Amino acid sequence: MNEKDLRLEEALSSQVGVDGNDYIFTTKQVFMVRVNLVILKLLLENRKKRGVAVVLDRPYGYLAHLLSLHRVDQTNLSYIDTVARFSGDSVIDNPKKVVYTDGPFHVELLMNAFSDGYEDDFKTKAIEMEDVDFILIDNVASALTYNTMEAMETCLKTLKELSDKHNILIVMGVDPHAHRALYGLLKSEIKNEIKIEERWLHG
Amino acid sequence: MDEVSEKTWKNEEENEELRENEMVRVASGIPGLDDMIEGGFPFPSVVLVAGSAGTGKTTFSLQFLFAGAEQDEQGLFFTTLSEPTHWMLQYSSNFSFVKKEYFGNLIQYVDLGSMLNRPVDEILRYINEKIAETMPQRIVIDPVTIIGNIIKDDYRKFLFDLTNSLKSWQAVSLLTGEVRPGEMYPVEVSYAADSVILLSLKAEGNARRKYLEILKMRGTDHRTGAYPVSITREDGFVVLRTRF
Ligand SMILES: Nc1ncnc2c1ncn2[C@@H]1O[C@H](COP(=O)(O)OP(=O)(O)O)[C@@H](O)[C@H]1O
Ligand SMILES: [Mg+2]
């Protein structure tokens, strides 16, 4: 990771998880991947947390590969992958666990991937709640392509319940200009907002 | 960033939800072009910029990267020509849009030329590694068609895998394609790309004029027909708004 990213990490460090458990950050859609990487590094390495990355718009392998190339240790990271089962990709880069859910079309079923979820048949493969200090959602906006706002709301509410019950930090990014209604929904459900400032992204 | 109202989403009209599904777009950096394509290139997507030698492909691509760099977007330029960096710098440096200080940081330059005799998987892995390393929002492969001349049999599969991973990295990628005499555009690449922009030269009297035509752009209500373009030091690549 370069100096630019370390500066971004420093800026984020004073904001993520300092007041309660639920966070959205706002940035341009094009910077989402970079900010997510920096947040994962902050949580996994600096804070030694264990967590889950929910990957909504591409097979999890891309994020896993990104983390390993940037030498971020992901032995304490699990993935919930909504895409790869469709595209048939194989497991790489040795994360803790990878759980596949029923495609990107049912965002409301995401929670079944956790042992605390609703459906029994998922339980054995599910992510144990004790292994989860945080949940990061990689590109929540991409779920909009296949899901209604109502399904998104259901998903968020369940996520919030899970977070409250097990004291889990949740983080997700949104571009308020590109996805205004989604931003409105997130604002109504989630307490803390971190505005990624342009100068944090500067080289 | 200006403020976005916090009123709840439930009050929004239904068309708000429709708008919500619209694509994120990034400015092309080419004056005149964004108006023709609903504001910019869909993000993420893969764009083929095809044309014969001298139609402006490299200029177009560089301008696209510099426009991104101006907004803090990381650019990654793969050349397949095995050209030393300083040649490209030398040729491009008199364009006023070129800022030398971006080279080596916001615009990274990678030579693929020496890789091309390797197995296809290795080429792809190398490209993916460079992308993961630099995390670009804008990527150029100039020209991609050289790879086809070298790897032949695996080319289609290569292009399919390449464009899939380019999009998964969340970037807009421009692949330039050399058009050979008698060919309209590189067909194999056009299948794999989301968009195809054709650059051409037409003889008019003693002069040759340059043109740009959008052949396809996924999810975009784009202009059709060939538009004249100019390439100058001061303004770089510009689409002129009179249709011929
Ligand atoms: N540095 C420059 N200053 C002014 N015009 C240039 C410069 N470089 C290229 N051009 C013009 O742009 C044309 C296209 O160049 P280029 O982008 O290299 O085309 P291609 O990559 O399609 O072969 C050149 O033929 C020339 O007319
Ligand atoms: Mg060229």
Side-chain angles (χ1 to χ4, degrees):
Chain A
M1 221 175 280
N2 59 29
E3 258 175 64
K4 221 167 60 175
D5 298 316
L6 294 175
R7 267 199 296 281
L8 175 59
E9 184 182 343
E10 204 180 295
L12 282 164
S13 173
S14 62
Q15 306 231 6
V16 176
V18 294
D19 179 26
N21 271 330
D22 46 344
Y23 288 84
I24 53 170
F25 65 85
T26 54
T27 187
K28 283 193 204 161
Q29 192 66 35
V30 293
F31 296 125
M32 217 54 90
V33 172
R34 200 178 133 207
V35 180
N36 279 336
L37 171 71
V38 171
I39 291 176
L40 284 171
K41 178 170 182 289
L42 169 71
L43 296 174
L44 290 167
E45 293 201 330
N46 296 31
R47 300 204 185 150
K48 308 275 179 243
K49 300 290 184 194
R50 298 156 309 159
V52 180
V54 179
V55 191
L56 291 174
D57 62 351
R58 49 191 180 154
Y60 88 93
Y62 285 91
L63 188 52
H65 195 49
L66 190 66
L67 288 173
S68 31
L69 263 168
H70 289 269
R71 294 185 193 80
V72 178
D73 179 22
Q74 50 193 315
T75 46
N76 286 324
L77 185 67
S78 298
Y79 291 91
I80 298 178
D81 186 323
T82 62
V83 183
R85 183 175 277 176
F86 279 2
S87 51
D89 289 27
S90 52
V91 175
I92 55 153
D93 286 303
N94 302 313
K96 185 171 178 65
K97 194 166 198 171
V98 182
V99 178
Y100 298 95
T101 67
D102 255 353
F105 311 106
H106 297 286
V107 76
E108 73 281 6
L109 300 180
L110 256 180
M111 294 308 135
N112 293 341
F114 295 97
S115 61
D116 214 22
Y118 296 122
E119 271 177 32
D120 290 334
D121 21 326
F122 266 100
K123 282 257 156 81
T124 47
K125 291 173 283 177
I127 292 166
E128 289 302 327
M129 299 321 297
E130 300 84 73
D131 290 336
V132 187
D133 300 318
F134 71 87
I135 299 172
L136 176 129
I137 304 202
D138 184 19
N139 210 355
V140 61
S142 60
L144 286 173
T145 315
Y146 311 110
N147 296 276
T148 62
M149 273 293 177
E150 284 68 28
M152 301 287 284
E153 191 184 13
T154 308
C155 174
L156 269 176
K157 283 197 154 61
T158 322
L159 191 63
K160 274 273 294 174
E161 277 166 27
L162 208 65
S163 156
D164 290 342
K165 186 170 165 200
H166 299 277
N167 192 27
I168 295 169
L169 177 72
I170 48 180
V171 189
M172 65 193 91
V174 63
D175 179 339
H177 296 274
H179 303 109
R180 206 157 84 88
L182 174 65
Y183 174 66
L185 169 64
L186 294 177
K187 285 286 288 182
S188 70
E189 296 293 332
I190 289 175
K191 197 173 85 208
N192 297 291
E193 173 174 356
I194 301 169
K195 289 195 167 83
I196 307 290
E197 292 173 28
E198 304 264 313
R199 65 190 167 88
W200 299 356
L201 295 162
H202 272 306
Chain B
M1 237 185 229
D2 48 315
E3 284 296 316
V4 175
S5 100
E6 284 184 26
K7 70 172 180 252
T8 69
W9 63 280
K10 281 173 189 166
N11 300 334
E12 304 285 356
E13 292 296 324
E14 225 169 65
N15 60 5
E16 180 73 25
E17 197 163 323
L18 286 177
R19 197 184 65 84
E20 201 72 8
N21 287 327
E22 267 178 31
M23 269 171 263
V24 173
R25 291 179 188 273
V26 305
S28 66
I30 308 295
L33 180 58
D34 291 349
D35 291 346
M36 302 165 65
I37 54 175
E38 294 195 275
F41 296 131
F43 176 91
S45 71
V46 175
V47 182
L48 164 64
V49 179
S52 53
T55 50
K57 300 180 297 296
T58 301
T59 308
F60 186 111
S61 310
L62 283 173
Q63 208 168 313
F64 162 76
L65 292 185
F66 276 94
E70 293 290 343
Q71 306 178 64
D72 285 319
E73 292 176 28
Q74 180 67 49
L76 180 56
F77 187 102
F78 290 101
T79 178
T80 55
L81 293 177
S82 296
E83 276 183 352
T85 315
H86 68 264
W87 284 13
M88 210 248 314
L89 289 179
Q90 201 180 330
Y91 285 129
S92 62
S93 61
N94 55 12
F95 281 117
S96 65
F97 67 81
V98 168
K99 288 194 184 146
K100 282 184 199 153
E101 64 268 25
Y102 286 155
F103 280 113
N105 44 70
L106 271 178
I107 297 180
Q108 299 277 349
Y109 183 90
V110 174
D111 177 22
L112 277 182
S114 56
M115 284 291 300
L116 297 182
N117 51 0
R118 305 274 182 80
V120 179
D121 286 354
E122 230 175 279
I123 303 174
L124 267 173
R125 202 175 321 133
Y126 183 73
I127 292 175
N128 281 323
E129 240 157 66
K130 287 291 168 193
I131 297 173
E133 237 171 74
T134 46
M135 281 189 277
Q137 286 77 49
R138 299 183 184 224
I139 300 170
V140 169
I141 304 181
D142 181 47
V144 78
T145 38
I146 294 240
I147 303 178
N149 301 343
I150 296 170
I151 66 176
K152 298 225 161 58
D153 292 348
D154 296 331
Y155 190 40
R156 278 197 177 207
K157 165 125 181 23
F158 170 82
L159 287 170
F160 180 76
D161 292 346
L162 175 70
T163 50
N164 258 343
S165 57
L166 287 173
K167 276 184 279 190
S168 292
W169 285 120
Q170 294 280 306
V172 175
S173 303
L174 296 195
L175 311 182
T176 71
E178 207 67 59
V179 173
R180 284 163 300 206
E183 185 187 58
M184 192 176 163
Y185 53 86
V187 178
E188 304 95 321
V189 192
S190 76
Y191 287 142
D194 302 300
S195 311
V196 180
I197 294 176
L198 181 62
L199 307 181
S200 59
L201 286 165
K202 287 193 186 94
E204 270 160 39
N206 290 327
R208 278 177 177 276
R209 290 208 66 155
K210 296 184 176 77
Y211 291 89
L212 174 147
E213 183 174 3
I214 299 153
L215 297 186
K216 76 163 177 180
M217 190 163 293
R218 199 165 282 176
T220 306
D221 184 9
H222 63 80
R223 299 287 176 86
T224 55
Y227 288 74
V229 306
S230 75
I231 302 180
T232 60
R233 281 180 191 190
E234 299 72 48
D235 303 316
F237 191 113
V238 177
V239 183
L240 306 170
R241 299 310 314 275
T242 38
R243 211 183 117 174
F244 283 70

